[in-house]
Every structure is written in C-alpha cells, then in structure tokens.
C-alpha cells in the first residue's frame, strides 16, 4: 500500500481504516470522526470539528480505494499463477 499524504492524525486514521477493512470490520466516517476527536482531545490538538470530519471522511475513502486495489492485485496474481483460471 502507498503511504497516505497528510499529517500524523490523518495517517493514523488511514491505518485504522485499512486494518478494519482487512479484518472485515465496517467502520463509518462517524466512527473515525469520534476516534479522531478523542485523540485530539487527549493529546491537545488544535483541529476544528470541520477538519476532524474532513480527515475522517478522507481516511475512509483512502482506505477503501487502497484496500480494493490491494485485493484486485492479489486476485490478479492468483489468476496469473493458475493460468488465468480461478
């Protein structure tokens, strides 16, 4: 997977979203937003609610895009190793 471009909180949210997707756990932008808000509150960050919401949505989108690409690559590799037959 390519590394997400952004700050530490955004990268953390992306990592959480990817891990959840790989484990078949469905998370919503609201779930990610609450996680981010708790982190910001605990560590004294200065992000606004709008910035937190934006990072949460972007993290979900980034993870979905990259997990889908990763799965497609694995399927293509499997198909190629089996002569194109599933």
């Amino acid at each position: 997977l390519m590394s997400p471009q952004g700050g530490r909180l955004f990268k953390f949210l992306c990592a959480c979203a990817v891990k959840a997707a790989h484990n078949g756990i469905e998370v919503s932008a609201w779930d990610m937003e609450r996680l981010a808000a708790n982190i910001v509150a605990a560590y004294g960050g200065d992000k606004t609610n709008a910035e937190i919401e934006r990072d949460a949505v972007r993290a979900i989108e980034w993870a979905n895009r990259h997990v889908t690409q990763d799965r497609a690559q694995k399927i293509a590799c499997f198909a190629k190793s089996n002569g194109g037959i599933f």
Side-chain angles (χ1 to χ4, degrees):
L1 291 175
M2 292 177 45
S3 179
Q5 298 298 311
R8 290 179 298 196
L9 179 62
F10 177 67
K11 288 179 181 182
F12 177 75
L13 294 175
C14 288
C16 291
V18 166
K19 185 73 171 173
H22 276 295
N23 288 322
I25 300 168
E26 206 171 306
V27 293
S28 68
W30 185 87
D31 296 325
M32 298 302 288
E33 187 180 342
R34 293 295 84 220
L35 173 63
N38 286 329
I39 291 169
V40 168
Y43 292 99
D46 59 354
K47 287 193 174 271
T48 65
N49 287 339
E51 291 171 319
I52 291 171
E53 182 180 352
R54 184 197 69 223
D55 280 354
V57 170
R58 286 181 51 230
I60 295 279
E61 291 169 351
W62 187 90
N64 287 339
R65 192 168 51 250
H66 285 81
V67 168
T68 301
Q69 288 173 358
D70 186 45
R71 288 180 180 152
Q73 288 171 345
K74 287 179 182 178
I75 290 169
C77 185
F78 176 78
K80 186 176 180 182
S81 69
N82 287 315
I85 302 170
F86 279 90

